[in-house]
Amino acid sequence: MTRYLLSIYQPDGPRPSDERLAEINRDLEALNVELRAVGSWVFDGGLHAASTATVLRPGAGASEVMITDGPFVDSKEHLGGIKIIDAPDLDAALGWAAKLTRAVGLPVEVRPFQG
């Protein structure tokens, strides 16, 4: 099995309605039940808004670190949540990502972990 990161990207803007969030949460829980049943679920979690991010960058000196508020990049979409899964191959990971995309109605990036 290979471990994959499924990254969910969400647009900036207002939160979905409570009704829509309830739908999304129901669909995500159903997906998690399915992933757990086949032993593929590892970890998942949603993130607060990109405006809550803090970025650390190397400074001029070897031990210097600069800290700034806000997301790493200025974009209309930001990382909104992640799911880490085990899958036998990329095709299987893409299948899970397709289910995740349908559940949340947002783009999902799939990347394998090294090693």
Side-chain angles (χ1 to χ4, degrees):
M1 295 281 247
T2 301
R3 190 152 286 174
Y4 290 89
L5 171 66
L6 310 183
S7 303
I8 304 163
Y9 288 89
Q10 67 184 49
D12 285 341
R15 285 174 26 119
S17 69
D18 289 342
E19 295 80 19
R20 178 65 182 127
L21 284 175
E23 274 180 37
I24 291 168
N25 286 332
R26 183 193 68 232
D27 293 346
L28 283 173
E29 183 54 32
L31 178 59
N32 284 341
V33 166
E34 190 176 352
L35 282 162
R36 284 184 178 106
V38 297
S40 289
W41 185 90
V42 176
F43 174 83
D44 68 3
L47 300 171
H48 286 281
S51 60
T52 66
T54 303
V55 178
L56 287 76
R57 302 176 195 275
S63 63
E64 191 175 322
V65 175
M66 298 177 352
I67 301 174
T68 58
D69 291 335
F72 178 70
V73 294
D74 186 21
S75 175
K76 294 183 187 284
E77 290 184 334
H78 293 92
L79 184 62
I82 64 165
K83 187 175 289 295
I84 298 173
I85 64 167
D86 285 329
D89 55 37
L90 178 59
D91 287 338
L94 293 175
W96 289 115
K99 289 182 179 193
L100 180 57
T101 295
R102 287 191 294 272
V104 298
L106 295 170
V108 174
E109 176 184 83
V110 177
R111 292 178 69 181
F113 281 89
Q114 293 182 1

